[in-house]
Amino acid sequence: MEYLWKPDLEDGTFQNPIIFADYSDPDVIRVGDTYYMTASSFNYVPGLPILTSKDLVNWKLVNYAIDKIDYEKYDMPQHSKGVWAPAIRYHNERFYIYYGMPDEGIFMVSAEDPLGKWEKPVLVLEGKGLIDSCPFWDDDGKAYVIHGYAKSRIGFKSYLGIFPMSEDGTKAIGEDHILYNGVETQPTIEGPKVYKRNDYYYILAPAGGVKPGWQTALRSKNIYGPYEEKIVLKQGNTIVNGPHQGGLVDTVNGDEWFLHFQDRGLYGRIVHMQPVVWENDWPVMGQNAKDGCGEPCLVCKKPNTGISEAPSSLEASDDFEEPGLNLMWQWLGNPKDNFCSLTANPGFLRLYALNPSGEKEPVLWNCSNVLTQKLVCPYFKASVCLRIDGLQENEQAGMVMMGGHYAYLAVRMINGEKTLVQAEAYDAEDGSVKEKTNVLKLAGNAEKIIFSFAMEEGKDGPIFKMFFTLGEEEVAVQTDFMPSDHTWVGAKIGLFATALKENAGNGGYADFEYIHVTSLAEGN
């Protein structure tokens, strides 16, 4: 079996990252012998991914907690907004996920079966700038939410807040107020996760910023504080920057592990795991600890969970043989029923050429009908085969590498002719997108074409390459484009069919036969 990324070294050890994919702000719990992880999804839907594992090393994407974001504005892509930094918990035989939406407030979604349908999200506390929410049910039956603040919405940061909530977790029952001030010693503290151990309340939270920061532990014997503080994990002499936000979890034998993310730029925020021991009622994470503060490990002995799983790899290839979309796919905004079909032409993904943005000159950055998937390994080649004979005038279909700036290859129907174009767009994060296009070649009467993107290893880092195939010959497309992250999200591979004008489209479509992703790295 070819693995796109293989954390399990099959010799009793694992390598970090355990997930080479953009699962930002991960949180994890154990229920019985199964571990459950969720992560931020921002404006991408479905949202709040659910991943499971039996050994904490080999993870599978199994579900999402929300199908869409229940605000009309999210029918258009709302980059940098949406679902931020969730916390997953299990209480009274029910799964809960709490998450902040920085422009709307703190929400909760719950389910008895995390692999089934989750209930409709509940707004627990309305308000701008309330993010990174974590629930806590105390032994006395009282319940709380501890959270962070987004300076971009509320005007300040480096504080943690707390408010009491109803025991059923559905609503705030008291005022929100400042719990902890980290301005002087723990600047930009955020992403709190709350635990109780040996009569101490612990808050584990990153501080110092995403790339240059560290992990802080706060402790108190009163949930309202005051809190002692200690830095328990930092980059040290390693290549693992951050190390940023995550969650603590135990195994059936009592060992504990900390899962967190590392910012890898264009690849997004990938997931690492560190062993945890306790000294003097403080957690010590990672390896080579000095004064109770460790640094991230790259290779470590696997957790003893009592279950040994076969090595696994996140999926990226798809032959579109199922009647519904594979879980790897997320739309750029809330989807509509007319975006796609997997039954109109069985064995193909049919994307309808639409302009959901309504713009006179639409760009992909603002089109919710772009279907995306995460990059799941550092070096790869992704090839997409699509049939283009269903396109109508002023419509296009193709493959995009989406990010803060993006590039795509597409076939456009212009003046009755199929035209092969290369397009690049910059400054997408500033909202001033202008796509620059280059006509490469007339596609003539071709019925299908293959587009390929490759991320190859170069002397000074990854190199991005683009290709197209008409017939048997693969042709390289000259480009100096390099993918980038954007608004806290890594670059993504996308498929699309869009109308180029203000109207919604002329009824055309493209049928995608497959996407095949192969690793270009040795040993995976």
Side-chain angles (χ1 to χ4, degrees), residues 364-485:
L364 292 188
W365 183 252
N366 296 328
C367 289
S368 52
N369 59 333
V370 178
L371 191 59
T372 71
Q373 64 162 280
K374 303 176 189 296
L375 308 184
V376 299
C377 61
Y379 306 112
F380 61 88
K381 185 173 185 180
S383 297
V384 169
C385 180
L386 64 155
R387 297 185 180 272
I388 51 179
D389 48 330
L391 290 174
Q392 302 297 318
E393 186 70 14
N394 290 323
E395 296 175 347
Q396 66 174 358
M399 181 183 188
V400 61
M401 181 63 77
M402 182 64 73
H405 50 264
Y406 59 90
Y408 64 81
L409 294 175
V411 173
R412 291 182 177 178
M413 184 67 78
I414 304 294
N415 296 325
E417 294 183 342
K418 298 186 182 82
T419 305
L420 182 62
V421 299
Q422 173 193 7
E424 296 181 6
Y426 294 88
D427 299 324
E429 289 190 52
D430 298 330
S432 56
V433 181
K434 293 292 183 182
E435 291 183 355
K436 298 179 180 180
T437 60
N438 179 30
V439 178
L440 299 175
K441 185 179 180 180
L442 292 178
N445 295 321
E447 294 183 351
K448 72 176 182 178
I449 190 169
I450 297 173
F451 294 134
S452 298
F453 293 162
M455 193 74 76
E456 299 180 359
E457 186 172 7
K459 183 177 67 173
D460 299 319
I463 300 171
F464 180 72
K465 295 183 178 180
M466 308 169 75
F467 308 87
F468 70 90
T469 304
L470 283 169
E472 299 297 325
E473 181 183 3
E474 183 177 73
V475 179
V477 178
Q478 185 176 356
T479 181
D480 59 2
F481 175 83
M482 191 64 195
S484 74
D485 57 349

Side-chain angles (χ1 to χ4, degrees), residues 67 72 80 109 149 157 243 291 314 326 335 344 500 510:
D67 297 326
E72 186 176 352
S80 82
V109 62
Y149 298 95
K157 63 177 182 178
D291 298 324
L314 292 178
N326 190 302
L500 297 170

